[in-house]
Amino acid sequence: MRAASAIPEVSVACPLCGGRGPTFYVENGRRFERCPCGLVFQNPRPTDAWLQAARYEPYDRGAAHGREMRAIYEHAASVLPPGRLLDVGCGPGLFVRMMRSRGWDAEGIDLDRGEDFLRLDLEGPFDALTAIYVLEHVADPRRFVEKARRLLRPGGMLYVRVPHTAPIVRIGKLLAPRWNFFHTPWHLQDFPPRVLLGLLGGWTLRIDRTPTRRGAWARLPVPGRSYTVMATRPMYNAQPP
Ligand SMILES: [Zn+2]
């Protein structure tokens, strides 16, 4: 197991609003702070250079995870507009291959192959852009959304799925003390739904909170679980506020 002290760190303010807040939780030596805007963010966090160079360790490779991902991919395929699709954070490319087999002109990029969405010179327009369990890893989610907006055609869809473990981390630790709720050191932030919907202000938004896990988390009577936001790029050309 990697020692937290081995990771070069940088102190940050809230990546959405620049604010600061009290400590929310400490997991595996990584401190998470709750900004007055609602975002829970890791501070200090690993440096950009470390995040880009480190080999990402996926959350879970088990059968339950495979079932969850298949359920998410099927949901995405049922709502995404047809045409040209970019999957950001595509990993080994399972979703890209599935969507190609169903008629999409799909391509994928991944930081593990040195492909940083914010740095790549990508040529739009795309009809759809997917970021499935990606935004919690992005140091500047506002720039991510702005770039997605530029790459999508008007009316195109940004499909974002994020974990939301902040509401269950305390009770969860009692039930599963060894579970890494914020997937430290990898999750830089945890978005309450209202915060992510606010980040996508001006887009046409739908949210899906259907649980895809069949384990205990999905049955807990608390709001903390992953969710999906389907954001359609507005038809007008004004810059976002
Ligand atoms: Zn904030």
Side-chain angles (χ1 to χ4, degrees):
M1 196 174 188
R2 189 195 311 269
S5 60
I7 300 173
E9 296 177 342
V10 58
S11 290
V12 291
C14 171
L16 290 187
C17 76
R20 296 294 307 270
T23 297
F24 171 75
Y25 200 76
V26 177
E27 180 162 57
N28 297 335
R30 314 299 308 187
R31 176 179 171 274
F32 288 80
E33 187 170 320
R34 186 195 285 279
C35 182
C37 80
L39 192 77
V40 169
F41 64 100
Q42 194 181 152
N43 186 29
R45 66 164 173 81
T47 60
D48 288 341
W50 186 89
L51 289 166
Q52 279 163 10
R55 178 93 192 145
Y56 177 60
E57 296 157 24
Y59 205 85
D60 184 353
R61 293 179 189 275
H65 180 68
R67 277 197 303 275
E68 175 185 2
M69 297 311 289
R70 278 194 296 277
I72 294 164
Y73 296 163
E74 287 295 341
H75 177 260
S78 74
V79 297
L80 290 174
R84 198 167 169 229
L85 163 69
L86 177 67
D87 186 29
V88 180
C90 64
L94 292 174
F95 182 60
V96 169
R97 287 198 291 278
M98 176 186 132
M99 295 302 274
R100 280 182 187 158
S101 76
R102 298 186 184 195
W104 270 266
D105 176 14
E107 55 193 292
I109 57 171
D110 200 285
L111 199 57
D112 259 0
R113 298 200 301 246
E115 297 159 338
D116 183 340
F117 176 67
L118 289 178
R119 294 170 185 231
L120 275 182
D121 189 15
L122 294 159
E123 195 159 338
F126 291 91
D127 298 287
L129 204 148
T130 46
I132 297 170
Y133 293 135
V134 168
L135 215 54
E136 67 273 22
H137 299 277
V138 174
D140 192 339
R142 198 174 285 287
R143 270 186 67 213
F144 187 101
V145 167
E146 283 165 6
K147 183 158 185 178
R149 190 183 192 285
R150 287 198 303 275
L151 287 171
L152 283 169
R153 66 164 167 81
M157 181 183 282
L158 171 62
Y159 182 101
V160 176
R161 187 168 178 91
V162 289
H164 181 38
T165 45
I168 60 164
V169 64
R170 287 186 177 81
I171 189 174
K173 274 289 182 210
L174 296 175
L175 299 171
R178 294 200 300 178
W179 190 262
N180 187 354
F181 284 84
F182 289 118
H183 193 200
T184 57
W186 301 102
H187 288 189
L188 304 185
Q189 56 254 336
D190 183 292
F191 294 90
R194 71 172 174 81
V195 174
L196 183 51
L197 294 173
L199 176 62
L200 291 158
W203 299 60
T204 303
L205 300 173
R206 278 190 294 151
I207 187 164
D208 179 69
R209 302 175 196 248
T210 309
T212 48
R213 273 188 184 269
R214 284 185 285 186
W217 311 131
R219 293 194 297 272
L220 281 177
V222 291
R225 59 179 47 136
S226 301
Y227 61 93
T228 299
V229 173
M230 291 150 276
T232 301
R233 197 196 128 166
M235 301 300 286
Y236 56 85
N237 284 318
Q239 285 301 305

